[in-house]
Every structure is written in C-alpha cells, then in structure tokens.
C-alpha cells in the first residue's frame, strides 16, 4: 500500500537540516521523489545517507534561495531527473534570536533586514517564480513553512516577525494568483530542536537552536518555556504531518490559502510577559 504522496515529486528549499530535512524524509516515506536545495553540501549528503534505500528517489542541488539562477537550476534538475514537479516547499530561513529593535543600531538593522528578508521572504518569492509553471502543468501545490511568528508577536525579534508576517501575505496572494491550477497552503511551526541559524550580519551565523535547547536542558529548564504540548518532544519529525496532509491531492484537494498551526499551543496560551518594553 502506497503513502499519501505516492508518485509525486517535491522540491524543498533549505532541506539540508531542521524541518526541511524532516519533511524531505517524510515525503520519501510517503512515496514521493524529493529534490532538496541547500547551501551546505555536507548537510545535503547527510540527508541522502539518512534516507537509506529511499535515497534512490532523492536528488540534491547546491544553491542559494536568493539566487534566481540557482532556483531555476533546481527546478530544471527536478524535471530532468523525475519528469515533473508536483509539490514545492519554500522552507529556507534564518532566525534573529529575538533581537529587539532596541538592541540594534541603524547600521545593524539595515544589514540584518537585507539578510533576513533576502532569505526568508525573497527566497520564497523566487522559489515560487521558478516553480509555478511546472506546478501549473501538474496541478500541484505549494506548502510554505511559516511560523508562530507569522501570526503572533514575540516568536522572534522585529525583523524575523516582520519577515514571517510577510510570508503569510505571500501565501494568501499566491493562493489567489495561482488558483485554480495550484493550491497554496502553509504550516505555522513552533520552536523545535534544529540547526536554525542567525544572521551573519549580526554575528549569529554559528548559533543554533539545537545548541540553545541543549544548554537549557542541561540547566534543567523546560524548553521552549510554558508551551502546552512540548512536554514530550520538540523534534522536527513531529511537525511533518501537516506538510503531508496539505500536499496530498486526495486529502486536501479543496484546501488553499490555509495555514495549519503546529506550534504546540502557543495560540491558546500566549507568551511569557504582557509587555516587552517594561525595562526601557
């Protein structure tokens, strides 16, 4: 018996680690062939190795989501290898590690804005531009990685929150522009144990959420703090189900412009403090 994505072909940006890697492996298990685009070639090869025998249905492409040429090359490689493209997962991103506007000067903000929006927002726009023609041909779908910060404050700093709100706007506009041929949906994930890095412009390129989790766990702190459903696991694999559902023609053929929150209950609990500027 096949999986929910049997015979489909997916392209995932930022698929070398974190939720992108987890979705790539889950899609393989659901019967899809998968192309993964990322900047770190070592990570790309690790994904193939993790796939085991299913790695025969995987292709990796080294590239940067800020480059239109790299994204068009990834789409061309996908169709050359597998003959079509059914699913696009714009996913590559960086986090600003809660850097408030009050902690950065104008030069830092300017440089970090260009980097965060270049990857988190322009990378999504360029991925859709490169892929939409093939998705129209296959009557496929787009499943965007969003965030609790797409819907709420304090899921990051000013720049990250703004970038993820922008991605929610893109999702809705793309859903309108590409209907009725292509469905466009998203998964608003919460914090998880990944190698998600920060902006190089702020000196955060070597910091990872994985290291932050390990530090807090070693000190006995609960991580993430006070989020209802994070008692058991914060592994990326636990967030992949909605990506399968939204990509499946058989199970979500009438769904577009929708976002599934997979944030562990942030929307019902809220964050830690009533105001963020009490100490100013």
């Amino acid at each position: 018996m096949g999986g929910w994505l049997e015979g489909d072909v997916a392209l995932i940006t930022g698929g070398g680690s974190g939720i992108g890697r987890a979705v790539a492996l889950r899609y393989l298990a659901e019967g899809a062939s998968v192309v993964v685009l990322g900047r770190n070639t070592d990570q790309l090869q690790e994904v193939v190795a993790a796939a085991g025998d299913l790695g025969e249905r995987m292709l990796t492409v080294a590239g940067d989501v800020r480059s239109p040429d790299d994204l068009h090359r990834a789409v061309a490689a996908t169709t050359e290898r597998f003959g079509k493209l059914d699913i696009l997962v714009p996913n590559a991103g960086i986090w600003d590690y809660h850097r408030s506007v009050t902690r950065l000067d104008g030069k830092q903000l300017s440089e970090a804005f260009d980097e965060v929006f270049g990857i988190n927002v322009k990378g999504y726009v360029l991925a859709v531009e490169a892929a939409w023609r093939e998705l129209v041909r296959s009557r496929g779908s787009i499943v965007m990685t969003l965030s609790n910060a797409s819907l709420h404050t304090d899921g990051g700093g000013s720049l990250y929150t703004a970038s993820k709100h922008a991605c929610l706007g893109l999702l809705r506009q793309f859903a309108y522009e590409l209907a009725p041929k292509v469905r466009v949906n998203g998964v608003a994930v919460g914090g998880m144990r990944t190698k998600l890095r920060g902006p190089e412009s702020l000196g955060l390129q070597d910091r990872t959420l994985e290291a932050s989790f390990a530090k807090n766990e070693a000190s006995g702190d609960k991580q993430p703090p006070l989020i209802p459903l994070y008692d058991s696991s914060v592994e990326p694999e636990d967030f992949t189900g909605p990506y399968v559902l939204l990509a499946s023609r058989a199970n979500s053929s009438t769904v577009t412009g929708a976002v599934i929150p997979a944030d562990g209950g942030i929307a019902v609990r809220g964050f830690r403090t009533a105001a963020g500027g009490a100490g100013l």
Side-chain angles (χ1 to χ4, degrees), residues 4-29:
W4 279 19
L5 305 179
E6 190 71 29
D8 286 342
V9 177
L11 169 61
I12 302 171
T13 69
S17 66
I19 187 62
R21 169 191 165 113
V23 171
L25 296 175
R26 178 67 184 273
Y27 276 11
L28 286 172

Side-chain angles (χ1 to χ4, degrees), residues 90-134:
N91 167 79
I94 56 175
W95 192 44
D96 64 3
Y97 284 84
H98 278 288
R99 287 302 186 271
S100 167
V101 68
T102 63
R103 296 179 59 186
L104 303 172
D105 62 32
K107 184 175 185 296
Q108 290 174 315
L109 277 169
S110 178
E111 293 176 353
F113 180 96
D114 290 344
E115 186 176 0
V116 171
F117 271 71
I119 295 172
N120 291 10
V121 183
K122 184 167 78 172
Y124 280 27
V125 174
L126 295 180
V128 172
E129 189 282 322
W132 72 263
R133 299 161 188 84
E134 294 299 330

